[in-house]
């Protein structure tokens, strides 16, 4: 498979990439095909069009595809590069989108999300997707490799609030790694494509995310002493010690020592004990 001539295509339209929008466009055809092949489902919502190389592949396999793109200067190029009747562009900032509304109006409720993400807002996009987890069945996302590793970390230095949100709410895996030379321009970091699938039974996403964020605000302190968690649960240290007892976890434990499953147990117990989250 030949590489996509990204620089030449942009030049034909008098365009160049914009670094501040995270515009590292994929040029490696095998990687583009690998992402398209990984995406299941008839209804696809793409985040970020670039020059439409992935968009075109997605249109060929889906019944309907919609792409959200912020950079309207790409419009003349994209209209010609993506001439598919089953597709439309929404010229919007993904972070200002009402995903529930888009999923309902465009797809009747749910879709598969696909995106070679703009890395400067990876966390914000992940939060948006997780908070609206009932809108999608699967997400195939290109992220920085170190972010991918954090999302699936179980313990240790890489373990973050994001590891807990993602593993608490989704099943998932790193599908394949993508080196810098597969993009134009080449980013400084390595990348990886991940798959996320919402768990059938998962905790209430917004509340669970807030709980994990509060706990990780002082990840090295004793969980029971965390002012953020005490504030969120409207309780005090004794209340959090009782919660830890109920979860069979030591009263002296730190947030970073809890597995995602421990977090789910603590969260559910907090709800069952009648605390407000
Ligand atoms: N899908 C293309 C590809 O694989 O070559 C482009 C990927 S590029 C890494 C990220 C794309 O997201 C760019 O087209 C960029 O303009 C777009 N983008 C950046 N910020 C955005 C935002 N807030 N909302 C929607 N799209 C955004």
């Amino acid at each position: 498979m030949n590489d996509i001539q990204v620089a030449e295509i942009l030049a034909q339209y008098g365009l160049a990439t914009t670094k501040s929008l995270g515009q590292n466009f994929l040029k490696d055809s095998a990687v583009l095909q690998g992402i398209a092949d990984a995406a299941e489902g008839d209804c696809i919502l793409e985040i970020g069009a670039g020059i439409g190389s992935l968009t075109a592949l997605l249109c060929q396999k889906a019944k309907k595809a919609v792409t959200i793109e912020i950079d309207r200067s790409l419009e003349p190029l994209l209209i010609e590069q993506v001439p598919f009747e089953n597709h439309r562009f929404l010229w919007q900032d993904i972070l200002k989108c009402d995903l529930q509304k888009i999923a309902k109006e465009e797809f009747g409720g749910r879709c598969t999300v696909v995106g070679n993400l703009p890395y400067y807002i990876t966390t914000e996009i992940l939060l948006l997707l997780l908070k609206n987890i009932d809108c999608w069945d699967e997400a195939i996302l290109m992220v920085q490799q170190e972010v991918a590793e954090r999302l699936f970390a179980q313990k240790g230095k890489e373990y973050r609030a994001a590891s807990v949100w993602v593993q608490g709410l989704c099943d998932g895996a790193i599908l394949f790694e993508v080196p810098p030379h597969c993009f134009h321009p080449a980013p400084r970091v390595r990348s990886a494509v991940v798959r996320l699938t919402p768990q059938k039974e998962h905790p209430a996403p917004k509340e669970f995310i807030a709980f994990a964020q509060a706990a990780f605000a002082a990840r090295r302190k004793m969980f029971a002493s965390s002012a953020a968690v005490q504030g969120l649960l409207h309780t005090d240290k004794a209340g959090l010690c009782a919660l830890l007892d109920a979860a069979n976890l030591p009263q002296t434990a730190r947030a970073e020592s809890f597995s995602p499953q421990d977090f789910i147990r603590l969260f559910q117990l907090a709800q069952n004990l009648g605390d407000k989250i």
Side-chain angles (χ1 to χ4, degrees), residues 71-138:
D71 184 359
R72 202 142 195 173
S73 74
L74 296 167
E75 190 172 7
L77 177 157
L78 283 167
I79 285 171
E80 290 186 7
Q81 298 289 326
V82 187
F84 296 90
E85 292 195 346
N86 62 340
H87 176 265
R88 79 185 197 103
F89 287 105
L90 296 178
W91 300 102
Q92 292 179 26
D93 177 345
I94 178 70
L95 299 182
K96 295 193 180 137
C97 283
D98 181 342
L99 273 196
Q100 300 279 343
K101 190 160 171 268
I102 292 173
K104 195 161 171 224
E105 288 179 2
E106 301 290 342
F107 305 115
R110 301 171 74 88
C111 57
T112 297
V113 179
V114 181
N116 168 17
L117 297 187
Y119 292 165
Y120 73 104
I121 46 171
T122 303
T123 305
E124 290 83 349
I125 294 175
L126 279 172
L127 278 171
L128 178 78
L129 293 178
L130 293 172
K131 287 180 180 174
N132 292 283
I133 201 164
D134 53 337
C135 293
W136 49 280
D137 297 311
E138 180 186 67

Side-chain angles (χ1 to χ4, degrees), residues 43-236:
C43 299
I44 294 191
L45 179 66
E46 187 191 22
I47 300 171
I51 61 165
S53 318
L54 181 56
T55 319
L57 295 177
L58 297 172
C59 290
Q60 288 163 40
K61 68 176 290 182
K63 281 205 177 114
K64 180 168 184 189
V66 172
T67 304
I68 298 170
E69 171 58 57
I70 198 171
D71 184 359
R72 202 142 195 173
S73 74
L74 296 167
E75 190 172 7
L77 177 157
L78 283 167
I79 285 171
E80 290 186 7
Q81 298 289 326
V82 187
F84 296 90
E85 292 195 346
N86 62 340
H87 176 265
R88 79 185 197 103
F89 287 105
L90 296 178
W91 300 102
Q92 292 179 26
D93 177 345
I94 178 70
L95 299 182
K96 295 193 180 137
C97 283
D98 181 342
L99 273 196
Q100 300 279 343
K101 190 160 171 268
I102 292 173
K104 195 161 171 224
E105 288 179 2
E106 301 290 342
F107 305 115
R110 301 171 74 88
C111 57
T112 297
V113 179
V114 181
N116 168 17
L117 297 187
Y119 292 165
Y120 73 104
I121 46 171
T122 303
T123 305
E124 290 83 349
I125 294 175
L126 279 172
L127 278 171
L128 178 78
L129 293 178
L130 293 172
K131 287 180 180 174
N132 292 283
I133 201 164
D134 53 337
C135 293
W136 49 280
D137 297 311
E138 180 186 67
I140 306 292
L141 306 173
M142 174 96 75
V143 297
Q144 282 185 47
Q145 191 176 329
E146 65 174 50
V147 172
E149 283 163 8
R150 276 182 205 152
L151 297 185
F152 301 113
Q154 287 271 332
K155 292 256 159 91
K157 189 159 75 54
E158 297 305 321
Y159 191 51
R160 305 286 164 91
S163 326
V164 177
W165 317 324
V166 165
Q167 294 173 65
L169 297 167
C170 300
D171 295 320
I174 297 178
L175 298 183
F176 53 90
E177 293 174 8
V178 183
H181 67 78
C182 295
F183 300 82
H184 170 87
R188 286 211 200 101
V189 293
R190 292 180 64 79
S191 302
V193 175
V194 300
R195 169 183 280 128
L196 301 180
T197 315
Q199 283 172 12
K200 288 210 172 66
E201 306 274 328
H202 57 72
K206 289 181 187 156
E207 292 78 1
F208 181 68
I209 287 168
F211 180 62
Q213 271 174 328
F216 268 83
R219 57 182 284 172
R220 291 197 179 83
K221 278 198 184 160
M222 279 183 3
F223 174 80
S225 306
S226 159
V229 181
Q230 289 175 12
L232 189 74
L233 300 187
H234 305 288
T235 190
D236 56 10

